[in-house]
Amino acid sequence: MLQKYQAETHRNGVTTHEGKEELKATSSEEGGTKEEQTAVLEALLRNSEFRASDRNRRFLRFVVEETLAGRADRIKAFTIAVDVFGRDASFDATVDPIVRIAAGQLRKSLREYYAGPGKSDPIHISIPLGAYVPIFEKRGPMNPFAALAPRHFSRSHSLLAGAGLATAFALLLTATAPLWLDTPTRADRGTAAVLVLDTARTSQANADANQFAEMLNDAIWLNVGRERAIRSVGVRPHEKLESVVSGVRSMYGPESDVYELLTSVQLEADEVRVYWHLLDSASREVQVSSLVKEAFRPASKAALAETTAASVAAALFGYEGALAKYQTDATVAANSTQD
C-alpha cells in the first residue's frame, strides 16, 4: 500500500514531505488587488487551455475564494476534503491521500499552463509545496499604459495615491491628443497597423449597465494593450471617435492600416449582451461583427468584464483571428466568442 501511494504521488508531482500545511500569505500589492485576483481566477477557470479536471478546478476556486475572503487559516486538508471532495466528518488525511494527490495534479496543471499559453497572464497563481493556500504573483504587462488604464479611466475605481503621480495623470487626461496605449515611433509611419478603441458604451439608463460598460472598457484596453503586433489608441469618453481616427491617420500616414473597435453593452434581466464590431477605417468595411452573451450577476461584474474582454481579444489576435495576420507568432485563442 505504501509503495503504491509513493508511486502515485511521484507520478502526480506530490512530494512525500507535504505533510505540513503552512499558511503563506501574499500581500495584495505584490499579487494584485482582490478584484484583479478574482478576475484572473475566473478567466483561468474558463480557459480551455488550462488542463485541469472539474474537481481540481473546484479545488482551485475554493482555496482562492477562501483566501480572498480572509479565511486562509481554515484551508486545511480536512476542509478541502469535506467542502470540495464531499468527504464526511470522519475524513483522515493520513489514511486518505485524496487532497495531497489532487494538490499535486493541480500544481502540475498550473505549471504547465503558465509555462505555455498563460505565460503572459498579468497574475500567476500557484499552490506552494507543503501548503494549500495559493500565492499570487503579479507579472507586469509589457505595456505600462495598459496596466494603468483600469485604474485611471473608470469612475468606479479609486483615485491615484501620491500627489506627483496624480498630477502627471491629470495632465494626461486633459490633453487633447488621443491616449496612446502603445507609443508610436517615427519608423511606424506608413508601415504600422493601428487599432483605435472606442469607449464601450450603453444606451441604457441603468447603473449596472453603465458600470459594466466602464469596467469592460478598462478590460478591453488592458487585454488589447498586451498585444505588441499592432499599435493601440484609446478614445476617452469625452472625445469623438472621428477626431481621434483623423489624428491617427495624420500621424501614421495614409498607407498604414487603421481599424476601429466599437463596443456596446445591453443589459436585460439576468443576461448581458456585448456587441462588438471591427471596422476598416479607410473602407468602412466591417471585418468582424460579433455578440457575446453571458449570464449577469451584479456581484461578478469585474470578473465578467475581464472574461468578455479576453474573448474579444482572442477573436482579434488568436489563431485565425481578424488581426492575427499582424502577429509574428499567432497563438491559439484561449477563449471564443458566441456568434
Side-chain angles (χ1 to χ4, degrees), residues 286-326:
V286 176
Q287 305 295 303
V288 182
S289 187
S290 190
L291 165 65
V292 179
K293 294 189 293 185
E294 295 287 351
F296 182 80
R297 294 188 298 274
S300 305
K301 284 195 291 285
L304 181 57
E306 172 59 31
T307 54
T308 303
S311 73
V312 173
L316 293 175
F317 299 102
Y319 184 68
E320 294 187 345
L323 301 177
K325 62 183 178 181
Y326 298 107

Side-chain angles (χ1 to χ4, degrees), residues 248-269:
V248 168
R249 300 198 69 83
S250 175
M251 177 166 287
Y252 282 101
E255 298 83 7
S256 294
D257 296 335
V258 180
Y259 299 91
E260 300 168 24
L261 181 64
L262 315 179
T263 312
S264 63
V265 172
Q266 185 174 354
L267 183 60
E268 295 182 0

Side-chain angles (χ1 to χ4, degrees), residues 36 145-154 157 218-219 221-222:
E36 290 171 335
F145 279 103
L148 291 169
R151 295 186 175 90
H152 306 292
F153 296 98
S154 175
H157 292 166
D218 293 346
W221 285 20
L222 176 61

